[in-house]
Structures are given as structure tokens and as C-alpha cells.
Amino acid sequence: MDAKNTKAFGTVASDAPLKEIHIQRREVTPKDIEIEILYCGVCHSDLHTARNDWGGSVYPVVPGHEIVGKVTKVGSGVTKLKVGDLAAVGCLVDSCRECDSCQHDLEQYCLNGFTGTYNSPDKHLHLQTYGGYSEKVVVDEHFVLKVPANLNLAAVAPLLCAGITTWSPLRHWNVGKDSKVAVVGLGGLGHMAIKLAKGLGAEVTLFSRTPEKTQDAKELGADTVVISTDAEQMKSVKGKFDLIIDTVPYIHDINPYISTLNINGTHVLVGYLGDLNPMLNSVPMIMGRKSVAGSVIGGIAETQEMLDFCGKHNIVSEIEIIKMQDINTAYERMLKSDVRYRFVIDMASLKK
Ligand SMILES: [Zn+2]
Ligand SMILES: [Zn+2]
């Protein structure tokens, strides 16, 4: 039997476009679920990993960690799902399951390092893990999510990364009806932050540099838009927010936002990894017991909680469906922020 049993789309070098390749998926073990992938969202991390922007990419790279599909096979010990059920996989496919983080449903903070859905060492085949730009995936049931049946399946896909990345801080900082939440940046993450914070009952403000985003933000549920380059507007929200979710994916000055936090408020970074520049001034933090924090995706239980919440409140991502073969163009458009608000690949196109 050909070991490379699965058609996929990937790249063989940092400067090569994505193209059709073949990869190996394992046979299901007793705890595994095999999923036929129907839709896969396109995340900025996909592009960065394909192009080795962060270093550490091992080729071939098959990106994709916003996966939804249908169960096609289950191992003898699987209890969570059965053949024919809808299923989803996000950014994690394994973790040590033993450390303090894993014991507390915080697999994303596994002290021994989680296994990413792509470009992580694969414990089973001793290759790299390959993501959702492929026909199928085989994942331990612990890391497979159930999908509410009432939602548009394609638009569910981005919930698995963009959704949970913003849901986790909203829940950790106990956002509810009396909360005032601000979102910095209106992209894949930002638009989900608005929808989810609104779903939780919060008053939601978008910080944007451009007035052109105002109408979109309001349609997504934002109560107010504050132009962050307008000093007067910034002053009008001084001391207002309990939580600011900062989704900006590049280096930026966060000092102006700290003054808009209420006492005990938190500015949480979810989109940018690296040094801050200009440096963070501690004075407004100390004088108002304010925090600057970070957060990455979410644990499996929390991801299920988010999907169930979205099912109940009819929340999905705003998407543009593309064919697998159009992924290279989609990456170029993403770099120009020319997407409202997430590309999702119709994986039926890979079969052709
Ligand atoms: Zn992602
Ligand atoms: Zn662990």
C-alpha cells in the first residue's frame, strides 16, 4: 500500500507556492477518529508557517487548523463520536495529558509543549503533523470537537482558531452583561471578538485607525467605534474598559490603550508575538492596578464550550469561500487585509 495515502495541498520550500502533494495519514488506533475534511479556514499562521516567517518550518508544510468535516472511521475505543457525525479539529491534536496544565483542561499551555495540528513532531508516524489542507485527518478523540448541527458548516471553521483565540480571554476575564470590552483591530480575530463579546452581553467598542471600518463594525455588533489616532476620541473613553482584546498582528504602540482601561482593567494581546515598541510605560499600570497580558487559543473543553455557545446564539464567522487551487492568491490578499473576514477552503475542490 502506498504510504502516502492522502491528497493534500502544501509547500516544499519557504519560497515555493502551495501545490498538490501527497502525505501519509495513520490508520486509526483504538482512540482515533478519522475525519473527511469538508471545509478548512485560512489563518495567518498558515501563511507564516508555509513561508517560514517564524523559523522552524519543516517541509513539506501542509497548513490548516480550522477544520470541519464528517467522521468516516472510529477506533474501537472511541466514545465521543460515531461515523457520520460532524466533527471539528482546531490548533491542537495532542499534548502530554499529564502536566498540571493538561490536568486542568489547559492543553494549550501544556508544560511539555502541545502538538500543533501542523508542523509539530508527530508521535505516531515520527514525521511532522500535517494540517487541514487535505482530504482527511486522523486525530485522537480527546482533541476532536463536536459541531452544533444548526450552524453553517463552512462558517464554523474559523471558530476553531479565530473564535477560540478571542473566546478564551473573554471567559478568563469573566466578561458578561456588565462588562465594557474593547477590541483593537478588525480582521479575522477582531470580528470574532466583537461577535462573541456581544453574545456574552458586553458593551463593545472597536478601536480602529480607519473610519471606513465603522459601518462593518456596527453591523457585526459593536456599539461604538473609536478612531485610535484621534486624540479627542481616545480621551472620551479614558478609564472605560474592563478588557481590551488586542488582535493586531504586528508591532504596535499599546501605551495609548492603557489609559482607556478602568481600574483593574486588562489589555490582552492575542495577535502579536514579540517585543513591544515603544516600550510599555508602567506608570498608568501602577496608578490604576492595570494589567497587560497575553493569551493563546484555548483548551479543548473551552473550545467545545465556545462551539456550544455559538450554536445556541447562532454565531459564526463572516467568510469568503475559495477553492483549494486559489490558496496562493488568497495568501496575497490576506497580506493586504483584503478579506472579510476569513477565507474558508471548500475542500471538495481538492478532489477535482
Ligand atoms: Zn490560527
Ligand atoms: Zn501537558
Side-chain angles (χ1 to χ4, degrees):
M1 194 187 79
D2 182 10
K4 293 191 172 174
N5 52 11
T6 304
K7 205 195 270 189
F9 236 71
T11 179
V12 293
S14 61
D15 56 353
L18 276 79
K19 60 170 190 186
E20 193 177 306
I21 61 171
H22 283 80
I23 55 166
Q24 186 180 356
R25 295 291 191 198
R26 66 178 182 265
E27 281 302 314
V28 295
T29 71
K31 297 300 278 177
D32 280 337
I33 295 178
E34 182 188 88
I35 301 161
E36 178 198 357
I37 301 171
L38 299 176
Y39 297 99
C40 185
V42 182
C43 170
H44 277 267
S45 305
D46 298 359
L47 184 161
H48 292 307
T49 307
R51 298 183 177 184
N52 199 23
D53 291 336
W54 297 328
S57 295
V58 177
Y59 294 92
V61 165
V62 176
H65 59 201
E66 296 181 340
I67 300 169
V68 291
K70 216 165 226 171
V71 176
T72 44
K73 222 181 261 180
V74 295
S76 54
V78 167
T79 54
K80 201 185 236 180
L81 290 167
K82 57 184 193 314
V83 171
D85 286 345
L86 295 175
V89 177
C91 306
L92 314 175
V93 290
D94 211 346
S95 67
C96 84
R97 327 255 189 116
E98 285 166 0
C99 73
D100 196 52
S101 297
C102 287
Q103 295 286 322
H104 290 89
D105 290 326
L106 296 166
E107 299 90 344
Q108 78 274 35
Y109 302 119
C110 174
L111 298 173
N112 297 302
F114 66 77
T115 303
T117 302
Y118 56 80
N119 202 51
S120 274
D122 180 349
K123 290 177 200 168
H124 295 266
L125 297 176
H126 307 290
L127 300 163
Q128 292 297 110
T129 54
Y130 300 120
Y133 298 2
S134 58
E135 294 173 296
K136 62 178 178 182
V137 66
V138 178
V139 179
D140 185 292
E141 69 169 335
H142 179 77
F143 292 85
V144 177
L145 290 313
K146 298 178 188 176
V147 179
N150 59 310
L151 299 175
N152 172 351
L153 194 60
V156 166
L159 299 178
L160 278 305
C161 177
I164 186 60
T165 298
T166 50
W167 176 257
S168 187
L170 289 168
R171 295 288 288 139
H172 180 74
W173 278 281
N174 296 312
V175 165
K177 278 200 272 300
D178 300 322
S179 307
K180 293 186 172 64
V181 174
V183 176
V184 187
L186 187 59
L189 292 173
H191 96 287
M192 284 315 307
I194 292 175
K195 287 189 178 208
L196 293 170
K198 205 63 211 168
L200 286 164
E203 182 188 326
V204 183
T205 298
L206 175 75
F207 282 121
S208 177
R209 289 184 305 177
T210 48
E212 293 81 68
K213 300 249 169 127
T214 303
Q215 196 187 335
D216 261 24
K218 294 208 164 152
E219 279 168 20
L220 292 164
D223 299 285
T224 316
V225 175
V226 170
I227 305 304
S228 56
T229 50
D230 182 327
E232 279 307 307
Q233 288 198 32
M234 288 301 277
K235 225 188 217 168
S236 73
V237 288
K238 189 169 187 277
K240 175 166 176 163
F241 301 111
D242 304 301
L243 181 68
I244 298 176
I245 299 188
D246 184 339
T247 70
V248 176
Y250 45 80
I251 196 162
H252 58 292
D253 185 7
I254 70 167
N255 289 293
Y257 300 111
I258 307 303
S259 66
T260 72
L261 286 172
N262 195 354
I263 311 305
N264 299 325
T266 302
H267 183 108
V268 58
L269 295 157
V270 297
Y272 169 69
L273 299 126
D275 295 330
L276 292 170
N277 187 19
M279 265 190 234
L280 191 55
N281 182 349
S282 67
V283 174
M285 293 169 64
I286 288 172
M287 299 312 287
R289 198 159 63 190
K290 297 168 186 180
S291 308
V292 172
S295 179
V296 73
I297 47 177
I300 296 303
E302 196 172 46
T303 306
Q304 190 62 62
E305 175 194 72
M306 179 267 313
L307 286 169
D308 294 345
F309 179 88
C310 288
K312 203 166 151 209
H313 295 262
N314 245 305
I315 295 173
V316 287
S317 185
E318 300 299 310
I319 60 165
E320 181 178 334
I321 293 186
I322 60 166
K323 294 201 216 65
M324 188 70 259
Q325 293 78 4
D326 294 334
I327 188 68
N328 294 299
T329 319
Y331 278 3
E332 291 311 314
R333 285 184 53 195
M334 262 165 66
L335 286 170
K336 291 183 273 185
S337 300
D338 175 23
V339 53
R340 288 156 98 190
Y341 279 93
R342 205 67 150 176
F343 289 118
V344 171
I345 308 159
D346 178 356
M347 295 309 301
S349 59
L350 181 60
K351 294 204 171 86
K352 289 183 189 132

